[in-house]
Amino acid sequence: MLSEINEFLNNLIWGNILLYLLPILGLFFTISSRFVQFRYFFKMFNILRDTVHDKEGHISSFQALMLSVAGRVGGGNIAGVAVAITLGGPGAVFWMWIIGLIGMSTSFFECSLAQLYKEKDGIDSNVYRGGPAYYVTKALGQRWLGIIISILLMITFGFAFNATQSFIITTSFESSFSIPTWVTGIALTLVFGFAVFGGIKRITKISEVIVPIMALGYLLIAIVVIGLNISEIPSLISLIVKEAFAPSSAIAGGLGAVILQGAKRGMFSNEAGLGSAPNVAAVAYVAHPVQQGIVQSFSVFIDTIILCSCTAFIILLSGVYTPGISGVDGVLLTQNSLIEHIGPLGGYFVTIALFLFGFSSILYNYYLAENSLNFFSKGNKLYFNLFRLFVAGLIIWGSLQDLGSIFSFADLSMGLLAVINMTAIALLYKPALRLIKGYDRQIKEGKKPVLRYNDYKEFKIDETTWKEIVDNINDKRETTKA
């Protein structure tokens, strides 16, 4: 009965609420901001280059970007795309792209808000905390809702998703290298412990090494595949667009199934609007919230437009995929496709990629849960250390379990989180638009933007935090000029 109730609620939330809520609000954010994700796209490179690095060791915009990419880029990029193509055909890839482009604006809004309403960490004064729980509490005055959000984040990411990632990694290593799952599980836990007991700064330092390696490595293998099949690329893109509006008769469900699969897998992969990325966006040390909004918007682009496309091209260029045949899907379809392109090494490459994607997601998931714990504990070191031990135990436990039902429950809790977060962003779109206008105004004045925090008194932000940031940045700029 519980399984049936869970399935019913999942279908209701993902198939009937979020399927429409996320793209509709995404379009609203895109239009109301005058297509902010495209207007600001190339500014992202300057922001990453010019990010102020505080002498006391604050977390940079680039480190925050790498941590968020670590979370967005995961099994969904390898297995999720394969499922979308299996159930929705090549046309699902087109709708995945559309959802990604729209989701960039949603991510911009939620991550800019997370920056605006951030506060100092209770343990480390050089680290900030923020996210949906913080902005619904400060801006909307609804602490009870912040508590619900924090609980949902801890259950979904810290517990269920981390155990599931452990299961995926360890079973993949067992399949490819015949290593028992418990051995890989213990090794994974030891590396995890080294990372998280060093705090968020060590997590971001590890992420800024792992993420570029995994993303560039996967991109490189996709470029090799594309290079080997370069003459087929124009016809492939034409096929994707054609199938997006006139799917093959072999695709069960027709056009509706194509759009549904593309939209669902796109949303699962890039997490725009789901309330997870803002927790990471808040930690960056930037002069203006819009800067991190721009950077986090770009992370959606990396996830969906670049890396999901890599998987789609690998599959569709291989000849392994057959429309209407559902016997092979998920990781196995991607693995078989890569083997077809480059031989047996392709299978091992997918396993290693899954490890890097999965482990980086574990670090990201842990940080989301830690940030939620901080909402309750306000920096109690004992609680944090006990929590780290508990999550480490779950990683070992997850390596020995079949977690299908737990993953399904996590989907439900994440869906509830997304509904709450999207509603909150919609209610707070005015301060987000004010941020955009303020940023644009300073650009037109020929200045490097900083948050003019006195202009946001009515929105109940933490003025002390922002005054310290802005004063420090202005002092450094004056020193540099001198």
Side-chain angles (χ1 to χ4, degrees), residues 17 31 106 108 134 147 167 172 180 183 186 347 384 428 433 454 482:
I17 298 176
I31 295 169
T106 303
F108 174 92
Y134 292 80
I147 292 172
F167 175 78
S172 178
V183 174
I186 290 175
F384 272 57
L428 294 172
L433 289 181
N454 288 325

Side-chain angles (χ1 to χ4, degrees), residues 60 62 66 92 103 131 164 311 318 369 469:
S60 72
F62 177 76
M66 289 301 99
T164 305
T311 300
S318 69
I469 293 171

Side-chain angles (χ1 to χ4, degrees), residues 98-148:
I98 296 299
I99 285 295
L101 293 173
I102 293 172
M104 288 172 69
S105 68
T106 303
S107 185
F108 174 92
F109 270 67
E110 64 180 348
C111 293
S112 295
L113 287 170
Q115 269 285 326
L116 182 64
Y117 289 101
K118 69 184 179 183
E119 62 182 40
K120 278 193 172 184
D121 182 20
I123 297 177
D124 188 343
S125 62
N126 291 329
V127 171
Y128 302 102
R129 301 280 181 177
Y134 292 80
Y135 53 69
V136 300
T137 299
K138 292 184 175 183
L140 301 179
Q142 305 296 326
R143 180 169 171 77
W144 66 272
L145 198 55
I147 292 172
I148 291 175

Side-chain angles (χ1 to χ4, degrees), residues 53-244:
H53 291 269
D54 188 85
K55 64 182 180 181
E56 296 177 352
H58 287 291
I59 293 166
S60 72
S61 193
F62 177 76
Q63 289 174 321
L65 170 65
M66 289 301 99
L67 185 55
S68 68
V69 171
R72 296 186 199 273
V73 176
N77 297 82
I78 296 177
V81 176
V83 171
I85 292 174
T86 301
L87 299 179
V93 178
F94 175 85
W95 296 109
M96 193 178 292
W97 291 338
I98 296 299
I99 285 295
L101 293 173
I102 293 172
M104 288 172 69
S105 68
T106 303
S107 185
F108 174 92
F109 270 67
E110 64 180 348
C111 293
S112 295
L113 287 170
Q115 269 285 326
L116 182 64
Y117 289 101
K118 69 184 179 183
E119 62 182 40
K120 278 193 172 184
D121 182 20
I123 297 177
D124 188 343
S125 62
N126 291 329
V127 171
Y128 302 102
R129 301 280 181 177
Y134 292 80
Y135 53 69
V136 300
T137 299
K138 292 184 175 183
L140 301 179
Q142 305 296 326
R143 180 169 171 77
W144 66 272
L145 198 55
I147 292 172
I148 291 175
I149 289 172
S150 296
I151 292 173
L152 289 173
L153 275 165
M154 290 176 69
I155 292 172
T156 305
F157 293 93
F159 303 158
F161 281 179
N162 264 358
T164 305
Q165 290 287 354
S166 174
F167 175 78
I168 292 171
I169 292 170
T170 55
T171 53
S172 178
F173 265 72
E174 184 180 47
S175 175
S176 295
F177 304 112
S178 300
I179 300 174
T181 56
W182 67 270
V183 174
T184 307
I186 290 175
L188 189 62
T189 303
L190 292 174
V191 180
F192 168 81
F194 169 77
V196 301
F197 276 95
I200 181 61
K201 291 179 182 177
R202 184 178 292 171
I203 292 173
T204 55
K205 285 180 179 178
I206 292 174
S207 295
E208 73 176 334
V209 173
I210 290 179
V211 172
I213 290 174
M214 75 179 189
L216 291 175
Y218 200 62
L219 181 61
L220 181 62
I221 202 72
I223 289 173
V224 170
V225 170
I226 292 170
L228 292 172
N229 301 273
I230 191 68
S231 61
E232 298 178 39
I233 297 301
S235 60
L236 175 60
I237 294 175
S238 176
L239 174 67
I240 289 172
V241 175
K242 178 184 175 182
E243 289 282 320

Side-chain angles (χ1 to χ4, degrees), residues 3-24:
S3 178
E4 289 177 359
I5 292 173
N6 187 57
E7 184 179 357
F8 169 77
L9 291 175
N10 258 320
N11 290 335
L12 175 65
I13 291 174
W14 285 103
N16 296 283
I17 298 176
L18 287 176
L19 184 62
Y20 303 103
L21 183 66
L22 285 169
I24 288 172

Side-chain angles (χ1 to χ4, degrees), residues 33 36-37 39-40 43-44 47 61 107-109 111-116 118 281 286-298 431-443 449-451 456 466:
S33 65
V36 65
Q37 68 268 47
R39 288 195 294 119
Y40 287 160
K43 290 185 183 297
M44 183 277 305
I47 290 169
S61 193
S107 185
F108 174 92
F109 270 67
C111 293
S112 295
L113 287 170
Q115 269 285 326
L116 182 64
K118 69 184 179 183
V286 294
H288 197 289
V290 162
Q291 293 174 320
Q292 190 60 17
I294 295 169
V295 169
Q296 292 298 326
S297 175
F298 184 67
L433 289 181
R434 178 84 66 85
L435 285 172
I436 295 172
K437 291 177 181 176
Y439 188 83
D440 283 340
R441 186 166 55 250
Q442 293 185 62
I443 291 290
V450 295
L451 183 69
Y456 299 87
W466 276 107

